[in-house]
Amino acid sequence: MSRVRILHTNPALGPLDYRVPYGMEVEFGSVVRVPLGPREMTGVVWELESLPTETVGDNRLRNILGVYDIPPIGAPLRRLIEWTADYYLAPPTAVVRMALSSAAALEGGRTVVEYKLSDDVLAALRAQAAPVEASSAPSDKPAFDKLRLSAGGVRLTPQRAQAIERIGERQGLIRELATIADVSEAVIRGLVKQGVIEGIEVALDTPFVAPDPDHAQPVLSDEQAAAADQLVAMVKAEDFAPVLLDGVTGSGKTEVYFEAIAEAIRMGKQTLVLLPEIALTEPFLRRFTDRFGHAPVAWHSDLRQSQRRRTYRAIASGEALVTVGARSSLYLPYRNLGLIVVDEAHETSFKQEDGVQYHARDAAVMRGHFEKVPVILATATPAIETRQQVAQGRYAEIKLPGRYGAAQMPTVEAINLVETPPERGRWLAPPLVNAITETLARKEQVLLFLNRRGYAPLTLCRHCGHRFQCPNCTAWMVEHRLTNRLQCHHCGHVEPPPRACPECHTEDALVACGPGVERISDEVGILFPEARRAIVTSDTLWSPAKAAEFVGRMEAGEIDIVIGTQLITKGYHFPELTLVGVVDADLGLQGGDLRAAERSFQQIMQVAGRAGRGAKPGHVYLQTHEPSAPVMQALISGDVESFYEAETEARRMANAPPFGRFAGIIVSSESLGDAQEVARQIARTAPEVEGMQVYGPAPAPLAMLRGRHRQRLLVHARRALDVQDVLRDWLGGLEWPRYVRVSVDVDPYSFV
């Protein structure tokens, strides 16, 4: 080829043509360096017919500068990139960036110097570390500030103390440690000079050890063995086969699809396992290592640059036989893919909410289609969209209706908060308190679930009524007493709690309204002072290592009561955990989300599934003001099919997904007037298309986000309509100021 089309990583430009210098060999998918003005850019050689662009004369073409020493991106991944850009109305350049997500992997070099806390400092940290139990004692200083370093007379400024505490056991480049610690690079370099942080040389391309498919073969029940045989047959067939693995919590879905992974390993094929949360990665790695003798390759945001480079190159070369990761791992350049598993496939966190707004579950099915490999969707609570695909015969279905061995499904009971309310100033009703007392007396573990981080969702002044709101968002500031701060959960804005009301200046007049997990933990501490507590949220389990620490303490019996958010609802297996209390079962039903009932059902079913997973029976209590609501009745009776049938019929009547289509149009600007004007312009020019309605514009429920005013329009269309073509023609013919952003969310899951 003497002339090629390059899809590069600059989202502001489309594909460009370049000349291939004499003697240089490239092919479709080659990753290359190309000039763009005075700069160099990375790009991928693409088929001309797939990316039409304006043709320029050969005499105007610039030369490709070089080809990176990594395997070309394969045709199946190139087709997935094109499909993602087309379906989700995203620039192809933005999608290809997801496939080139490790710049370091493109470069040479065998070693790099990384930094970590010195052995002496780590030993001091471990010596002072108390069990990670809940405590609401306010503190405005990092815990490490209390530690005195004996060696070297190190002076600890607040920034250095914060850096030491947050870095902990981690290591990385100086800029990575600065990001982890939320301090400047100068602070890290100062600690290096003082010997608190030391450098170590790290090999970049150490080979990964291959998992052994025959290491510890499990004893499966007859139902599990039959399911595993079907999945193994699909892997052997080496063809596209989407299948729903629908098993109740504790039925052994993971052990079943492990057998399909084992077969792929025997065939020398690569497997990708998608997980919805990086906090689930470490528990999964432990279960995988027990089965296969070695851990799989992990891909998530907590990896250091050197780890990302090593992992990326191993995936691209085919060396990494099993990869487990979050949704971004779907777009990595697997060389010889043989199987895709989407675990907890119902999870809405598989939907990307910014940038390229794709749904990893659906994109995984499409990658399986292009790669011609089976795709396993494993879940105890399938999404209605997935169930409809099964009903239409597009997906196969394998059921595991019972728990493995002697374990039984837990009993579920509603606590009517109208009839038996908690004591004044409390949030746990007497029946739940009694159940906790009995469970602790049996030396068993308890889980209290409330999907609300922090201490209280709202703080106000009892004197003048002032409410603390984020200056950047239309959202209340959430009080976090463990870290002594008010925080916005949308933009991350943080401020210390003031002593006096900023409006009326009255001191000691601030009141916390409503409970978060920290407030429930305080109540538990008052009711059960001897019980050992742990709060489990994204604030406390921010990395796989923290998740592993929590799992180890639970398994060792060092925790009696867990108070957690949705992070604790999936993937964990604790045989001694026999009681689950849902503090506010009505919480997820609030708002106008069409999936509210389904999400609440899935979430509570999942958290209920943490109870009684061993030989001991489990019990679940739902605190609710509406025990007669269809969701509560389905959870109590266990009549899953009736609930899904009613929800599916309601969707059908409303022509809502999966029977109709939605697309959100979000207009944002720092100026409210500009956002409103562009939104009205879009609405005025909406085409009249049979089977399509356009609603809005209207202020978004989250009317301001990160300092930008937001307006929303909603497109509702019949299923058969190619709504993407309509949106392309409609919005492509409009112009708006550069400082106004217009984004399209196809198949939205969030309506805020």
Side-chain angles (χ1 to χ4, degrees):
M1 291 187 290
S2 61
R3 178 189 183 119
V4 294
R5 187 149 297 165
I6 302 297
L7 182 60
H8 50 75
T9 54
N10 186 334
L13 296 174
L16 298 173
D17 288 356
Y18 287 85
R19 181 188 299 111
V20 180
Y22 178 77
M24 180 181 291
E25 294 186 5
V26 299
E27 59 183 287
F28 295 133
S30 293
V31 183
V32 296
R33 290 186 298 110
V34 294
L36 186 64
R39 296 174 297 158
E40 290 186 9
M41 296 290 294
T42 300
V44 180
V45 179
W46 220 268
E47 293 87 343
L48 297 177
E49 63 276 9
S50 297
L51 294 175
T53 189
E54 181 181 350
T55 302
V56 299
D58 289 350
N59 62 320
R60 296 176 57 191
L61 298 181
R62 300 181 71 179
N63 285 346
I64 293 176
L65 300 177
V67 182
Y68 285 107
D69 183 24
I70 61 170
I73 291 177
L77 180 52
R78 299 201 301 276
R79 301 294 81 80
L80 178 68
I81 290 170
E82 293 168 359
W83 176 86
T84 302
D86 179 74
Y87 188 87
Y88 293 105
L89 299 177
T93 50
V95 186
V96 82
R97 285 171 66 92
M98 299 193 298
L100 300 174
S101 51
S102 174
L106 309 179
E107 303 167 356
R110 310 295 295 181
T111 63
V112 67
V113 176
E114 294 185 340
Y115 295 85
K116 69 177 187 66
L117 294 179
S118 69
D119 292 341
D120 290 343
V121 175
L122 278 174
L125 269 178
R126 294 181 186 124
Q128 77 143 24
V132 189
E133 296 183 3
S135 170
S136 59
S139 172
D140 57 358
K141 295 183 178 180
F144 194 76
D145 195 38
K146 303 167 187 173
L147 182 68
R148 297 291 178 262
L149 296 178
S150 57
V154 176
R155 176 176 169 268
L156 285 183
T157 65
Q159 291 80 14
R160 289 175 177 175
Q162 175 177 305
I164 293 170
E165 180 185 18
R166 294 191 179 183
I167 290 170
E169 305 274 352
R170 299 181 181 186
Q171 71 180 52
L173 304 177
I174 284 181
R175 67 172 178 271
E176 292 174 331
L177 295 186
T179 300
I180 291 169
D182 194 21
V183 297
S184 68
E185 292 186 21
V187 173
I188 304 298
R189 295 186 189 279
L191 289 171
V192 172
K193 289 181 180 179
Q194 291 184 314
V196 176
I197 292 177
E198 61 187 12
I200 55 173
E201 191 173 36
V202 176
L204 292 176
D205 292 328
T206 306
F208 288 98
V209 180
D212 179 3
D214 302 310
H215 172 71
Q217 296 189 24
V219 178
L220 302 178
S221 68
D222 292 342
E223 285 181 339
Q224 289 176 326
D229 289 344
Q230 293 181 64
L231 297 179
V232 167
M234 291 177 180
V235 174
K236 289 181 176 179
E238 299 186 64
D239 199 4
F240 175 55
V243 55
L244 169 62
L245 180 58
D246 182 0
V248 301
T249 55
S251 60
K253 295 183 293 296
T254 304
E255 286 69 22
V256 168
Y257 72 65
F258 272 178
E259 296 312 295
I261 294 175
E263 186 58 35
I265 295 172
R266 294 186 187 101
M267 296 169 63
K269 298 280 190 176
Q270 292 175 292
T271 296
L272 165 63
V273 181
L274 289 174
L275 298 178
E277 305 274 359
I278 67 166
L280 295 177
T281 305
E282 197 68 23
F284 179 90
L285 296 182
R286 294 179 59 178
R287 297 177 71 178
F288 187 96
T289 303
D290 290 343
R291 168 63 179 87
F292 294 98
H294 298 283
V297 170
W299 182 270
H300 49 74
S301 59
D302 203 47
L303 293 180
R304 308 191 306 272
Q305 177 179 295
S306 60
Q307 292 173 317
R308 293 177 73 85
R309 178 193 189 278
R310 177 189 178 204
T311 300
Y312 188 97
R313 292 184 70 87
I315 287 170
S317 68
E319 172 201 330
L321 290 180
V322 182
T323 302
V324 55
R327 57 180 176 251
S328 61
S329 60
L330 177 63
Y331 288 86
L332 296 176
Y334 303 94
R335 184 161 190 176
N336 190 21
L337 200 59
L339 173 65
I340 300 173
V341 178
V342 184
D343 205 351
E344 308 290 356
H346 65 281
E347 273 294 322
T348 57
S349 53
F350 279 124
K351 181 70 159 72
Q352 176 79 17
E353 295 295 349
D354 52 20
V356 181
Q357 299 182 64
Y358 67 99
H359 197 302
R361 179 198 64 209
D362 300 339
V365 173
M366 290 307 300
R367 178 146 199 186
H369 167 73
F370 293 126
E371 298 274 3
K372 298 193 181 307
V373 301
V375 181
I376 301 171
L377 307 179
T379 175
T381 52
I384 289 177
E385 289 84 353
T386 304
R387 292 172 65 93
Q388 184 63 16
Q389 295 281 19
V390 171
Q392 293 177 341
R394 294 175 180 168
Y395 294 180
E397 182 180 34
I398 299 174
K399 281 186 170 290
L400 293 171
R403 284 188 161 179
Y404 178 74
Q408 299 296 316
M409 294 298 292
T411 61
V412 181
E413 181 179 334
I415 298 174
N416 190 333
L417 294 179
V418 176
E419 297 177 355
T420 55
E423 296 178 15
R424 185 175 179 81
R426 298 281 175 86
W427 308 97
L428 304 181
L432 180 55
V433 173
N434 294 337
I436 295 172
T437 302
E438 295 169 359
T439 304
L440 295 178
R442 296 193 300 268
K443 306 297 184 183
E444 296 167 3
Q445 293 170 318
V446 176
L447 165 61
L448 296 177
F449 169 72
L450 177 62
N451 201 29
R452 186 180 277 158
R453 292 160 51 205
Y455 184 85
L458 171 65
T459 301
L460 58 78
C461 174
R462 67 161 65 93
H463 186 261
C464 71
H466 173 75
R467 301 182 178 193
F468 285 81
Q469 182 171 322
C470 175
N472 308 313
C473 309
T474 47
W476 307 124
M477 297 290 285
V478 178
E479 182 181 4
H480 288 253
R481 289 198 179 174
L482 288 179
T483 52
N484 192 36
R485 64 187 182 184
L486 298 173
Q487 179 180 355
C488 174
H489 287 174
H490 296 283
C491 72
H493 174 76
V494 173
E495 57 188 56
R499 183 173 182 81
C501 172
E503 191 73 21
C504 67
H505 308 294
T506 304
E507 293 192 0
D508 300 322
L510 304 184
V511 179
C513 300
V517 288
E518 293 178 16
R519 196 168 197 172
I520 299 301
S521 177
D522 277 5
E523 182 175 339
V524 168
I526 294 170
L527 293 170
F528 307 100
E530 301 302 319
R532 298 162 296 177
R533 298 166 283 141
I535 293 175
V536 176
T537 72
S538 56
D539 300 311
T540 59
L541 263 62
W542 66 80
S543 70
K546 284 291 183 182
E549 177 188 346
F550 163 69
V551 171
R553 294 183 58 226
M554 281 291 288
E555 292 178 345
E558 297 175 4
I559 299 172
D560 300 313
I561 302 177
V562 179
I563 306 98
T565 61
Q566 56 87 25
L567 199 63
I568 196 67
T569 64
K570 45 193 174 280
Y572 292 105
H573 176 81
F574 303 125
E576 294 301 313
L577 199 161
T578 59
L579 175 65
V580 168
V582 180
V583 177
D584 187 352
D586 306 325
L587 184 61
L589 297 174
Q590 301 168 6
D593 188 348
L594 79 126
R595 297 183 177 88
E598 180 190 13
R599 285 179 179 173
S600 291
F601 180 81
Q602 291 170 334
Q603 197 168 72
I604 296 175
M605 278 284 288
Q606 290 287 337
V607 73
R610 300 313 105 198
R613 295 173 69 93
K616 299 175 181 178
H619 306 279
V620 180
Y621 289 88
L622 312 179
Q623 294 196 155
T624 174
H625 290 89
E626 299 181 75
S628 60
V631 175
M632 302 305 158
Q633 288 299 305
L635 290 164
I636 295 165
S637 66
D639 190 356
V640 176
E641 291 304 319
S642 294
F643 170 78
Y644 272 118
E645 287 173 7
E647 280 293 302
T648 302
E649 186 58 28
R651 299 266 193 100
R652 193 192 310 273
M653 295 296 292
N655 197 32
F659 306 102
R661 305 195 64 190
F662 284 144
I665 303 175
I666 303 95
V667 182
S668 68
S669 172
E670 293 181 1
S671 164
L672 175 59
D674 290 338
Q676 290 174 329
E677 176 55 36
V678 171
R680 286 193 291 263
Q681 174 192 4
I682 292 173
R684 283 195 304 267
T685 57
E688 293 186 7
V689 178
E690 183 182 355
M692 187 183 90
Q693 296 82 38
V694 179
Y695 304 105
L702 197 58
M704 179 178 280
L705 178 64
R706 301 183 185 96
R708 299 182 68 87
H709 298 274
R710 304 169 74 242
Q711 297 278 309
R712 287 189 69 104
L713 297 93
L714 181 66
V715 178
H716 186 191
R718 54 187 168 87
R719 188 71 195 170
L721 180 66
D722 190 343
V723 73
Q724 285 90 343
D725 274 353
V726 174
L727 287 165
R728 259 188 293 268
D729 294 341
W730 171 17
L731 300 179
L734 301 178
E735 294 184 357
W736 47 78
R738 286 187 301 173
Y739 48 81
V740 177
R741 298 176 192 161
V742 178
S743 63
V744 179
D745 186 2
V746 177
D747 300 339
Y749 272 64
S750 172
F751 294 87
V752 298

